[in-house]
Amino acid sequence: MANSEKSARFLIESRLRDAARGSADACFDLGVVYSSGAEGVTIDLVEAHKWFNIAAMTGSTEAQACRADIAEDMTAREIIEAQKAARAWLRGLESRAA
């Protein structure tokens, strides 16, 4: 169990670093991990929607489709929470770049 947790943590941390550098692929990968529970990560549709939303902003049609797909299983409140989280992430990137 500890190895799967280490593996999941490493995956998330590495993809977060890449996402912070502007990688749309990393954002998409994070969406996949959180929406599917890959690598032992707990499924979190709010977090998945956030990452798909950020990837979709770069024009990823695959991320747009995934975001729409998981939104069907979310409440309006969860979607709003995910959108706020995506905006907060992007604002954080802007402030680090300045």
Side-chain angles (χ1 to χ4, degrees):
M1 193 72 99
N3 278 342
S4 66
E5 287 178 26
K6 281 184 179 180
S7 175
R9 191 174 5 182
F10 176 78
L11 173 69
I12 297 297
E13 288 172 1
S14 69
R15 300 319 284 157
L16 282 171
R17 281 191 301 273
D18 292 342
R21 292 184 191 112
S23 170
D25 288 338
C27 295
F28 181 82
D29 291 347
L30 286 164
V32 170
V33 167
Y34 282 110
S35 66
S36 67
E39 301 293 328
V41 172
T42 301
I43 292 174
D44 184 339
L45 295 184
V46 171
E47 194 70 11
H49 190 285
K50 173 183 103 175
W51 290 112
F52 285 138
N53 197 31
I54 294 168
M57 289 178 187
T58 67
S60 169
T61 55
E62 191 173 16
Q64 292 169 9
C66 291
R67 179 185 60 194
D69 187 45
I70 66 168
E72 293 177 8
D73 296 325
M74 297 172 70
T75 66
R77 180 164 285 159
E78 288 171 326
I79 292 169
I80 291 167
E81 182 182 343
Q83 291 170 335
K84 285 181 182 179
R87 286 192 297 274
W89 169 265
L90 293 170
R91 277 194 304 274
L93 287 180
E94 290 172 0
S95 66
R96 284 187 290 250

